[in-house]
């Protein structure tokens, strides 16, 4: 075995101990190393404009070997020998081997003669040593170097990728995903990693090799087919190729770092220059603002009003609150920027910044001190000026305040005192006006002090030379003149009010007397008019006679009422005389009443007109009541005869339906004759209807002469006719039942006797208990035990299917006939069916039409239609369907 050991303490060749050169004899590995090492050498030689084709032949003269070392090391080697002799070639190769040894690489068993002789094993070993020294040794990742460092770098870069697990430099790279992951990690735009498949190693490897050669300037050092076809790819070939990726990507990173460093320096210079420009501009703006502000602060022009002075103070406060704080911040920021700039320049070994003339920090501080001095003097002057104007402003405000209060109080007072409202006022209003005037006089006296104060303040403002004294004096004079006029008007109004009060008191007494007498008289007239116009409703002659008597009594009171009317009108005439004599203006009417003389006269005239109208209405109503009384008596005379007649006939019909006289046919004949006699009574009913119509048209609602109404008569008549017809129908049904069931007359009599015996209330029906007792009397064994109750319930379901709770005589006869009848049974009828059907056990519609009369045949077919539908013949009936159609399911 041959070894390539490093002379350094940290031996970069440690992973390559025991390198067996005989392994190079493996054709697969030797092929991979030849291709990889040749491509690696050409990747550097092309920088010098040359390349090799055969690695053991092209390095034999040592010229390209020395050129390769110069390119990869960046150093100059001794001048090569240009001769073609063997000695020249050995000399050149030795120079190359000496240079390799000078880089700390110990070459064992590799001599210039083997290289010159074209020994493939020695040549490949030498190239691998060069690759380790110049391409792999300097790789360092997290305190690991050479092979371990390169492996760790690969693991770090491919860690985020699925299906990639780099543990070595042989089988971990067979599927090609490791190479693709390295490229995608640094240049993701070159490979769509998501579309790669782990089972397609050949495509993955070719993709990575092609992209690396085309875009990363990494020559294709391996063949995808060789790697896929080899169980364990050559580790040195893989390491050589992977190191090219490391240097390609680490070189780009170093270039980027260098560019960033340059950009950082440029950015610092730009920032410093910007700070200089900002300082110059900020200093110029601040000094200009100070220059413009100081004259404003030094202005001491006085103001005449407190408002103007307060506006100046407010402007100064705005300056302090709004304008100055930002400038203070600018001054502070200016100093901060200056200090920061000087520090940055000092740290970057640049000369200190020197501002323009007059813009030094000290210049700005001096200007700022002048600003604050002017500001202090301005504030003191403002406070003194405000105190000076405050006294005048206070007096002027006090004058205007008192003047405004006084003027507001006097506003409208002259107009009020000059009003002649008392000329149309009532007495109560006059008294109120007097009280109000007295209150005004008290208020006027109280305001005397305020007028004197206003005059005193005006005098003081004149003495203090107030700037608006002319306006104050004019207003004060106006107030004093108005005050004198108010005093004169007040006295004049008092005299007029007192004179008017005396006249109105006299009129008020007359008004009060008029009201006391007019009110009851007006109420009497309104009541009289209401009674005279009242619409009376009477129903008897006695009621109209009572109304006539009361009306006569009212007419007897009319003369006295006329005298009272004349006395009330005399009071009003006296008031009119006083008004005309003293020229008093009366506002409105009598305050004690709303009744006027004209209203009294109008109502009196109306009463006198209503009296004869009332007489006529009473006479007409009296005649109408006499006619109504005649109609009542006429109706009562007939109703008192017809009503008892109907009741008598109803009782007779009831007795006939219960009693048993003769045969059923005799009873029917008797009832028909009875019915005929009832119908012949109809004209009297019609005549009574005519009388009733006249009563309704006359709106007569009661009749004391009879207890019968037309409605009672109608109902009784209809019940009589209905009861007669129903009784005849019941007996006819009994005849049908008797004939159909073969019941004898004696049996019918017995049934009727039993039914009537237990019909104790003569209602024509039996209750459940009565019917049960009747059955027991006829021999039925119906006890009070559960069996007897069940049997009675079965009988009731037959005789009272609708559960009415009563048993009629007809239902009783039907039930008893079932028990005793001697007619054809269902069995006999069904035997007849079998005769008609023959052996086929069904019967058709055509057979029914042939064997039965037409009417009965069609009835039977219609009755059987819901049950037809024999399995063999559509529309035919079998035995069971025929029985159900005729008798129902209960009789089967």
């Amino acid at each position: 075995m041959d070894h390539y050991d490093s002379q350094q303490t940290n031996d970069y060749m440690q992973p390559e101990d025991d390198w067996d050169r005989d392994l190079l004899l493996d054709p697969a590995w030797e092929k991979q190393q030849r291709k990889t090492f040749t491509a690696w050498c050409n990747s550097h030689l092309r920088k010098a404009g040359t390349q090799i084709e055969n690695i053991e032949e092209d390095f034999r003269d040592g010229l390209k070997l020395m050129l390769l070392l110069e390119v990869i090391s960046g150093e100059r080697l001794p001048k090569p020998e240009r001769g073609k002799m063997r000695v020249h070639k050995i000399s050149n190769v030795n120079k190359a081997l000496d240079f390799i040894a000078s880089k700390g690489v110990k070459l064992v068993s590799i001599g210039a003669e083997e290289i010159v002789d074209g020994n493939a094993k020695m040549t490949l070993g030498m190239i691998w040593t060069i690759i380790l020294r110049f391409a792999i040794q300097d790789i360092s990742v997290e305190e690991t170097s050479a092979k371990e460092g390169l492996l760790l770098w690969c693991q770090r870069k491919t860690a985020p990728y699925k299906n990639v697990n780099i543990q070595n430099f042989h089988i971990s790279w067979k599927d090609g995903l490791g190479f693709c992951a390295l490229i995608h990690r640094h240049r993701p735009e070159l490979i769509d990693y998501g579309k790669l498949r782990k089972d397609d190693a050949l495509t993955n490897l070719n993709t990575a090799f092609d992209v690396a050669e085309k875009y990363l300037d990494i020559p294709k050092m391996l063949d995808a087919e060789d790697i896929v076809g080899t169980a364990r790819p050559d580790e040195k070939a893989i390491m050589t190729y992977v190191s090219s990726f490391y240097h390609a990507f680490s070189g780009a990173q170093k270039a980027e770092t260098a560019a960033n460093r340059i950009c950082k320096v440029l950015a610092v210079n730009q920032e410093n220059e910007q700070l200089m420009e900002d300082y110059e501009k900020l200093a110029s703006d601040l000094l200009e603002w100070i220059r413009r502000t100081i004259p404003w602060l030094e202005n001491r022009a006085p103001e005449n009003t407190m408002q103007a002075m307060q506006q100046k103070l407010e402007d100064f406060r705005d300056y302090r609150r709004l304008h100055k704080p930002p400038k203070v911040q600018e001054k502070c920021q200016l100093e901060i920027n200056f200090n920061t700039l000087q520090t940055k320049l000092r740290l970057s070994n640049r000369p200190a910044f020197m501002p323009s003339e007059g813009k030094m920090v000290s210049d700005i501080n001096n200007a700022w001190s002048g600003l604050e001095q002017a500001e202090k003097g301005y504030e003191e002057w403002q406070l003194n000026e405000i105190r000076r104007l405050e006294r005048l402003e206070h007096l002027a405000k006090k004058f205007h305040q008192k003047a405004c209060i006084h003027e507001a109080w006097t506003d409208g007072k002259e107009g009020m005192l000059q009003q002649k409202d008392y000329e149309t006022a009532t007495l109560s209003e006059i008294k109120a006006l007097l009280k109000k005037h007295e209150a005004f006089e008290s208020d006027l006296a109280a305001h005397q002090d305020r007028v004197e104060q206003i005059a005193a303040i005006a005098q003081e403002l004149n003495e203090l030379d107030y700037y608006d004294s002319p306006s104050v004096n004019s207003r004060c004079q106006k107030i004093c003149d108005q005050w004198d006029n108010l005093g004169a008007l007040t006295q004049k109004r008092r005299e007029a009010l007192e004179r008017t009060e005396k006249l109105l008191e006299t009129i008020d007494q007359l008004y009060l007397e008029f009201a006391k007498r007019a009110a009851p008289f007006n109420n009497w007239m309104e009541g009289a008019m209401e009674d005279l116009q009242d619409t009376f409703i009477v129903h008897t002659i006695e009621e109209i006679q009572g109304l006539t008597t009361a009306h006569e009594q009212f007419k007897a009171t009319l003369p006295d009422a006329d005298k009272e009317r004349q006395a009330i009108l005399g009071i009003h005439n006296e008031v009119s005389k006083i008004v005309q004599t003293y020229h008093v203006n009366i506002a409105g009417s009598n305050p004690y009443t709303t009744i006027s003389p004209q209203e009294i006269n109008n109502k009196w005239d109306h009463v006198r007109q209503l009296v004869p109208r009332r007489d006529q209405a009473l006479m007409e109503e009296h005649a109408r009541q006499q006619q109504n009384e005649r109609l009542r008596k006429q109706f009562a005379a007939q109703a008192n005869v017809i009503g008892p007649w109907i009741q008598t006939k109803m009782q007779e019909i009831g007795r006939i339906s219960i009693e048993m006289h003769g045969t059923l046919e005799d009873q029917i004949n008797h009832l028909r004759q009875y019915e005929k006699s009832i119908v012949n009574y109809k004209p009297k009913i019609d005549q009574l209807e005519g009388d009733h119509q006249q009563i309704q048209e006359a709106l007569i609602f009661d009749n004391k002469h009879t207890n019968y109404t037309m409605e009672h008569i109608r109902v009784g008549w209809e019940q009589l006719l209905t009861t007669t017809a129903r009784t005849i129908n019941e007996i006819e049904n009994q005849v049908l039942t008797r004939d159909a069931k073969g019941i004898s007359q004696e049996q019918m009599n017995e049934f009727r006797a039993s039914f009537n015996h237990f019909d104790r209330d003569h209602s024509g029906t039996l209750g459940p208990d009565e019917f049960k007792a009747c059955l027991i009397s006829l021999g039925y064994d119906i006890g009070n035990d559960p069996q007897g109750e069940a049997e009675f319930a079965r009988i009731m379901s037959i005789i009272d299917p609708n559960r009415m709770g009563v048993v009629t005589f007809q239902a009783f006869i039907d039930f008893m006939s079932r028990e005793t009848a001697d007619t054809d049974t269902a069995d006999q009828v069904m035997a007849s069916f079998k005769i008609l059907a023959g052996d086929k056990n069904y019967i058709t519609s055509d057979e029914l039409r042939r064997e039965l009369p037409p009417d009965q045949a069609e009835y039977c077919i219609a009755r059987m239609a819901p049950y037809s539908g024999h399995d063999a013949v559509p529309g035919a009936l079998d035995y069971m369907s025929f029985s159900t159609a005729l008798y129902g399911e209960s009789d089967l």
Side-chain angles (χ1 to χ4, degrees):
M1 286 193 179
D2 297 328
H3 301 276
Y4 295 88
D5 298 323
S6 175
Q7 299 293 330
Q8 300 174 0
T9 304
N10 186 12
D11 189 0
Y12 67 91
M13 288 293 291
Q14 192 65 35
E16 299 303 318
D17 287 345
D18 302 327
W19 173 45
D20 192 352
R21 294 180 183 176
D22 293 335
L23 291 176
L24 290 174
L25 298 177
D26 185 330
W29 283 23
E30 182 179 356
K31 180 181 178 182
Q32 290 178 18
Q33 286 190 12
R34 282 178 180 275
K35 181 176 180 62
T36 301
F37 291 173
T38 300
W40 183 85
C41 291
N42 285 333
S43 68
H44 294 286
L45 288 173
R46 69 171 177 244
K47 297 175 184 179
T50 186
Q51 62 179 12
I52 61 173
E53 298 295 336
N54 190 310
I55 194 167
E56 63 266 24
E57 291 294 332
D58 293 346
F59 284 141
R60 289 178 63 184
D61 59 1
L63 294 176
K64 290 187 177 181
L65 179 60
M66 294 179 68
L67 182 60
L68 174 65
L69 292 173
E70 287 183 349
V71 172
I72 62 177
S73 67
E75 300 179 13
R76 295 290 294 178
L77 270 69
K79 185 177 180 179
E81 300 290 341
R82 294 298 178 180
K84 301 294 183 178
M85 297 177 65
R86 175 178 176 80
V87 65
H88 298 139
K89 297 178 181 180
I90 292 174
S91 175
N92 289 337
V93 172
N94 279 327
K95 291 177 181 179
L97 295 178
D98 292 340
F99 180 78
I100 295 173
S102 69
K103 297 301 180 181
V105 178
K106 183 178 180 181
L107 300 174
V108 179
S109 300
I110 297 179
E113 291 79 2
E114 284 94 346
I115 302 303
V116 172
D117 292 339
N119 189 318
K121 293 188 295 180
M122 295 297 115
T123 303
L124 291 175
M126 177 190 66
I127 297 302
W128 174 241
T129 302
I130 294 172
I131 291 172
L132 284 177
R133 173 60 185 85
F134 293 99
I136 299 177
Q137 177 184 346
D138 294 336
I139 296 175
S140 178
V141 179
E142 298 182 4
E143 299 183 356
T144 61
S145 60
K147 179 181 178 180
E148 289 78 5
L150 182 60
L151 182 62
L152 182 59
W153 178 80
C154 294
Q155 291 172 344
R156 291 285 189 270
K157 296 298 181 179
T158 60
Y161 293 86
K162 64 179 181 179
N163 298 328
V164 178
N165 184 16
I166 304 301
Q167 299 296 329
N168 49 57
F169 286 106
H170 36 81
I171 60 174
S172 295
W173 302 85
K174 282 193 67 173
D175 57 11
L177 291 178
F179 296 111
C180 292
L182 286 177
I183 296 172
H184 186 268
R185 180 64 180 271
H186 295 88
R187 296 288 299 276
E189 75 279 5
L190 299 180
I191 291 181
D192 187 356
Y193 189 83
K195 294 183 178 180
L196 301 178
R197 301 199 324 269
K198 185 175 179 64
D199 57 355
D200 191 2
L202 194 62
T203 300
N204 298 339
L205 289 167
N206 283 326
T207 299
F209 296 161
D210 294 340
V211 170
E213 184 176 29
K214 183 176 180 181
Y215 296 103
L216 303 179
D217 198 25
I218 298 175
K220 194 173 183 181
M221 303 180 184
L222 301 170
D223 284 331
E225 293 78 2
D226 295 341
I227 296 176
V228 173
T230 305
R232 186 175 185 272
D234 181 63
E235 186 177 48
K236 299 174 181 61
I238 298 295
M239 282 181 65
T240 301
Y241 188 52
V242 171
S243 68
S244 298
F245 282 92
Y246 174 82
H247 289 294
F249 293 133
S250 63
Q253 184 175 0
K254 290 177 181 179
E256 182 179 357
T257 302
N260 291 336
R261 186 178 297 109
I262 294 173
C263 290
K264 184 176 181 181
V265 173
L266 293 175
V268 170
N269 290 338
Q270 289 177 341
E271 183 179 359
N272 291 339
E273 291 176 0
Q274 185 63 43
L275 286 174
M276 294 176 189
E277 293 178 4
D278 292 345
Y279 177 85
E280 289 286 340
K281 185 177 184 306
L282 192 58
S284 298
D285 293 344
L286 185 59
L287 289 171
E288 176 62 22
W289 178 80
I290 294 173
R291 184 189 63 79
R292 287 186 284 102
T293 304
I294 289 177
W296 175 70
L297 294 173
E298 292 177 345
N299 182 15
R300 300 294 189 269
E303 298 292 344
N304 290 328
T305 63
M306 190 69 174
Q307 182 178 3
M309 206 61 216
Q310 285 177 342
Q311 183 60 47
K312 278 194 172 184
L313 182 59
E314 185 63 27
D315 293 342
F316 183 68
R317 288 173 180 168
D318 288 343
Y319 158 77
R320 281 275 188 85
R321 184 176 61 253
L322 302 176
H323 303 294
K324 186 180 178 182
K327 299 304 177 181
V328 173
Q329 184 65 29
E330 289 179 11
K331 178 177 176 296
C332 179
Q333 189 63 42
L334 189 69
E335 295 175 356
I336 292 173
N337 290 350
F338 183 81
N339 294 332
T340 301
L341 178 59
Q342 300 292 33
T343 301
K344 288 185 175 182
L345 291 173
R346 185 171 58 255
L347 293 176
S348 59
N349 296 322
R350 297 287 301 279
F353 170 63
M354 182 61 65
S356 302
E357 184 178 357
K359 297 181 182 178
M360 295 291 293
V361 174
S362 58
D363 297 331
I364 295 172
N365 288 334
N366 292 335
W368 190 266
S369 298
L371 175 71
E372 291 184 337
Q373 188 63 32
E375 181 183 311
K376 180 179 179 182
Y378 187 67
E379 184 178 16
E380 292 175 354
W381 172 78
Q382 279 189 326
L383 295 175
N384 292 332
E385 189 65 16
I386 288 174
R387 281 192 291 268
R388 182 185 72 83
L389 292 174
E390 189 174 18
R391 175 60 181 168
L392 285 176
E393 193 72 20
H394 172 70
L395 288 174
K397 185 177 181 181
K398 188 175 182 181
F399 172 82
H400 289 298
Q401 182 181 13
K402 288 184 176 293
C404 288
I405 293 173
H406 177 78
E407 290 168 350
W409 180 83
T410 58
D411 184 34
K413 293 296 189 294
E414 291 176 311
M416 181 268 293
L417 292 172
Q418 292 174 347
Q419 285 181 352
K420 294 185 178 182
D421 49 353
Y422 52 82
E423 292 182 350
T424 58
T426 63
L427 179 60
S428 59
E429 291 172 344
I430 288 294
K431 291 182 179 295
L433 288 174
L434 276 169
K435 295 292 184 183
K436 183 179 180 181
H437 190 72
E438 291 174 0
F440 175 75
E441 289 176 335
S442 299
D443 197 14
L444 185 69
H447 278 75
Q448 177 68 35
D449 184 55
R450 180 179 290 113
V451 175
E452 294 175 354
Q453 291 177 4
I454 290 172
I457 294 172
Q459 181 63 28
E460 186 175 358
L461 286 172
N462 286 324
E463 293 173 355
L464 294 175
D465 195 19
Y466 180 56
Y467 79 96
D468 199 19
S469 293
S471 175
V472 171
N473 293 334
S474 175
R475 192 173 185 183
C476 180
Q477 186 62 42
K478 182 178 179 181
I479 289 172
C480 293
D481 293 342
Q482 185 186 38
W483 183 255
D484 295 338
N485 188 39
L486 285 175
L489 292 174
T490 299
Q491 182 60 31
K492 183 178 179 180
R493 181 173 176 80
R494 166 171 281 281
E495 294 171 356
L497 288 172
E498 290 175 348
R499 181 177 63 254
T500 305
E501 181 185 21
K502 292 179 181 180
L503 290 173
L504 291 180
E505 282 179 347
T506 302
I507 295 174
D508 186 71
Q509 291 297 326
L510 293 173
Y511 273 153
L512 181 60
E513 185 178 357
F514 177 87
K516 288 181 179 179
R517 298 180 68 174
F521 185 71
N522 182 69
N523 290 337
W524 177 84
M525 288 192 297
E526 289 179 348
M529 289 188 293
E530 182 178 355
D531 292 339
L532 292 172
Q533 297 179 94
D534 185 25
T535 302
F536 49 81
I537 299 177
V538 295
H539 302 288
T540 64
I541 191 70
E542 290 82 4
E543 291 178 355
I544 192 62
Q545 289 174 350
L547 290 176
T548 303
T549 301
H551 182 62
E552 293 299 327
Q553 293 174 353
F554 167 74
K555 291 193 292 185
T557 64
L558 291 177
D560 292 337
D562 189 41
K563 292 180 182 180
E564 178 65 14
R565 181 182 67 84
Q566 295 293 338
I568 293 171
L569 294 176
I571 296 173
H572 181 266
N573 293 335
E574 187 175 353
V575 171
S576 299
K577 184 179 179 180
I578 293 173
V579 170
Q580 293 175 359
T581 302
Y582 297 100
H583 305 287
V584 178
N585 294 325
I586 300 176
S589 57
N590 192 331
Y592 299 107
T593 181
T594 59
I595 303 170
S596 66
Q598 183 63 38
E599 184 179 357
I600 292 175
N601 286 331
N602 292 339
K603 289 182 178 179
W604 176 256
D605 294 340
H606 194 203
V607 169
R608 301 204 43 191
Q609 293 172 2
L610 291 174
V611 170
R613 297 179 188 173
R614 185 71 170 183
D615 291 338
Q616 181 64 29
L618 290 173
M619 290 174 62
E620 292 174 355
E621 182 62 25
H622 189 272
R624 193 176 71 85
Q625 288 300 327
Q626 287 179 337
Q627 174 65 16
N628 291 347
E629 186 67 13
R630 185 187 65 77
L631 292 175
R632 289 190 186 95
K633 290 179 180 180
Q634 180 178 333
F635 177 84
Q638 296 185 68
N640 289 335
V641 174
I642 295 174
W645 182 85
I646 291 175
Q647 292 176 352
T648 301
K649 293 301 179 183
M650 287 291 295
Q651 294 173 359
E652 291 176 358
I653 291 296
R655 286 196 303 272
I656 291 174
S657 64
I658 296 175
E659 296 175 355
M660 300 173 294
H661 297 292
T663 65
L664 295 176
E665 287 79 2
D666 294 338
Q667 294 179 23
I668 289 173
N669 293 331
H670 181 63
L671 284 172
R672 292 194 183 282
Q673 293 176 1
Y674 205 83
E675 182 182 30
K676 184 176 181 181
S677 66
I678 291 173
V679 171
N680 293 335
Y681 202 78
K682 184 67 166 56
K684 294 185 179 180
I685 301 297
D686 296 338
Q687 183 180 356
L688 187 64
E689 284 282 4
D691 294 342
H692 177 68
Q693 182 176 356
Q694 293 181 5
I695 287 177
Q696 285 185 325
E697 292 173 353
L699 301 178
I700 298 173
F701 302 106
D702 58 351
N703 192 341
K704 65 181 180 179
H705 303 294
T706 181
N707 292 327
Y708 293 100
T709 65
M710 194 64 221
E711 184 65 25
H712 293 155
I713 298 297
R714 290 195 194 101
V715 173
W717 176 254
E718 292 172 356
Q719 288 180 349
L720 179 61
L721 294 176
T722 302
T723 302
T724 302
R726 185 170 59 249
T727 303
I728 293 172
N729 178 258
E730 288 178 356
I731 296 176
E732 288 176 343
N733 290 336
Q734 293 175 20
V735 172
L736 293 174
T737 303
R738 182 197 66 186
D739 295 342
K741 303 297 182 178
I743 301 174
S744 65
Q745 184 64 41
E746 289 76 12
Q747 288 176 318
M748 289 293 292
N749 293 339
E750 182 182 356
F751 293 156
R752 168 57 76 177
S754 298
F755 188 88
N756 290 344
H757 174 75
F758 289 98
D759 182 17
R760 294 182 176 85
D761 57 357
H762 304 291
S763 62
T765 60
L766 296 179
D769 294 338
E770 294 173 338
F771 178 59
K772 184 176 182 180
C774 181
L775 291 176
I776 293 173
S777 69
L778 293 174
Y780 282 85
D781 186 12
I782 302 175
N784 293 326
D785 55 349
Q787 183 178 359
E789 293 296 333
E791 176 63 17
F792 181 69
R794 183 190 69 79
I795 294 172
M796 284 299 294
S797 66
I798 297 172
I799 201 169
D800 184 20
N802 295 327
R803 298 183 180 181
M804 301 298 292
V806 296
V807 178
T808 64
F809 182 69
Q810 181 62 40
F812 178 73
I813 290 297
D814 291 341
F815 173 74
M816 297 304 299
S817 65
R818 288 192 179 195
E819 302 295 325
T820 60
D822 191 22
T823 59
D824 289 342
T825 64
D827 293 339
Q828 292 173 330
V829 174
M830 297 314 298
S832 300
F833 170 84
K834 292 180 179 179
I835 294 172
L836 294 176
D839 296 335
K840 61 183 182 297
N841 197 30
Y842 65 84
I843 186 169
T844 65
S845 299
D846 293 338
E847 290 173 340
L848 288 174
R849 291 189 179 94
R850 185 171 62 249
E851 299 295 337
L852 298 178
D855 292 343
Q856 294 180 357
E858 295 302 327
Y859 171 77
C860 185
I861 291 170
R863 179 74 180 271
M864 297 176 182
Y867 307 96
S868 63
H870 189 269
D871 294 339
V873 180
L877 286 169
D878 58 14
Y879 178 85
M880 292 300 295
S881 299
F882 184 82
S883 175
T884 302
L886 289 181
Y887 295 103
E889 296 180 358
S890 61
D891 290 333
L892 292 177

